[in-house]
Amino acid sequence: MESVVPELLSAVERYRLVDEWANGVELSGYPAVPALIERGRRVPAIRPALRCGAATLTYGELFERMARGTAAGRCEASLDGAVRLLADIAAAANSGAALTLSMPTGPNETASTIGLRADALAAAVDDRRAVTTDCRAGHIDPAQGTTNIRLLATAWTCADTAVELLAAIADGATLVVATEAQRHDPAALADLVADTGATHVVAEAAVLARFADTAAVPLPTVRRWDVTGTRCPAILPDLLRELAPGSVAGFAYTAPEYAGVVARGPLDGSGRVRPIPGARVLVLDAYLRPVAPGRSGRIYLGGTALAAEIDADAAPFVADPFVAGARLCRTGISGRWTADGWLTFATGDIVTEHEATGSDLGVNATIFPEIAA
């Protein structure tokens, strides 16, 4: 396959599309996975570590169960599933092997397997911990109390859950995992935020948009909203500020082929993002040539936290045509670069099960046509 850059791109445009805009800043050093887990072991044993539904595990109980083992699957959305996931992460990191994970797929697609390397996971956790720095600044009781309570209200996927879990325990935080029922019920989700005193909420834009369909419930404990997806309604920033005055919010793009977040941007309704440190994002045509700003192409991902290939059918991995020896993964998402170097997502994106649509969540199509489509 020919991968020659079209002549209509100048040398400056080509440089921007395959280097300057495509790459996040170079990563500095960050703690390895065993060091992150060791930080969690040093947290007082009676402090709450995990909550899912009505069940809660303290830090002492979490590491006791890790040592004892559990029969739960690592991708099971439960406390035991989280324990198994953390135990498998620790074992893989200590052995140097990649953690094998099932890729989220659509209803008519064959499940595939990818690998998550310890260094990729550690890099993703470093980004998450940097984002939640403002949530770590509050008073923490030496033993029991913490004002760092993170609520995860996204679909359970092993890679993303692993990042949230490791980041939380490394910071001595409490991670609250919303159940599927709570994610689909805006009143129940608001009650969960209020009851737990969550300071940091991670959720898909479609999930948070449903707050507009319910009576406003003040959520004053929330200091940060981390909104994920590829579409962001213009009304969402004001809605979240109304619910939690003084809070800040950001927009993030995640993908099942990449550990954690790939790109971040402001939550201003535009849906624009740029690659985070260590990430690489390209917009290419069918011949793996960079697409000019303003024109749509397929989004390809690379960089530090890219999933590892387990077998030839794991995911559509290809050689990076612009970096010798590097690999890229073709996503099911289309996007374009703006003239000033922001990545936006094209209308009619191919959406996988990893990314819930507004219609799946019952979003009001009149108020949020961008999400409900």
Side-chain angles (χ1 to χ4, degrees), residues 10-53:
S10 68
V12 171
E13 288 176 319
R14 179 186 184 280
Y15 171 74
R16 287 174 174 169
L17 294 169
V18 304
D19 193 324
E20 181 183 351
W21 294 351
N23 296 324
V25 299
E26 188 174 348
L27 279 169
S28 56
Y30 47 85
V33 168
L36 294 170
I37 294 175
E38 181 58 29
R39 292 186 184 195
R41 293 185 185 278
R42 296 176 183 175
V43 175
I46 61 174
R47 184 180 298 172
L50 292 172
R51 172 176 168 175
C52 184

Side-chain angles (χ1 to χ4, degrees), residues 210-253:
R210 297 195 70 219
F211 281 146
D213 296 331
T214 64
V217 177
L219 302 172
T221 62
V222 179
R223 298 202 292 270
R224 181 175 182 90
W225 305 90
D226 212 14
V227 183
T228 65
T230 57
R231 300 179 181 90
C232 177
I235 197 174
L236 194 54
D238 288 339
L239 174 63
L240 298 182
R241 279 193 293 267
E242 179 183 353
L243 293 173
S247 63
V248 297
F251 189 61
Y253 167 51

Side-chain angles (χ1 to χ4, degrees), residues 178-223:
T179 64
E180 281 298 296
Q182 289 167 331
R183 290 180 60 245
H184 285 76
D185 183 343
L189 184 60
D191 287 343
L192 181 63
V193 174
D195 291 345
T196 59
T199 56
H200 180 195
V201 177
V202 181
E204 294 113 331
V207 170
L208 296 177
R210 297 195 70 219
F211 281 146
D213 296 331
T214 64
V217 177
L219 302 172
T221 62
V222 179
R223 298 202 292 270

Side-chain angles (χ1 to χ4, degrees), residues 269-295:
S270 67
R272 57 190 174 124
V273 293
R274 283 177 173 155
I276 68 165
R280 179 166 170 79
V281 181
L282 294 167
V283 180
L284 306 177
D285 66 13
Y287 297 95
L288 299 183
R289 300 177 300 200
V291 177
R295 304 187 65 177

Side-chain angles (χ1 to χ4, degrees), residues 347-362:
T347 303
D349 294 337
I350 299 172
V351 180
T352 66
E353 187 176 279
H354 174 76
E355 184 175 49
T357 62
S359 58
D360 292 336
L361 298 168

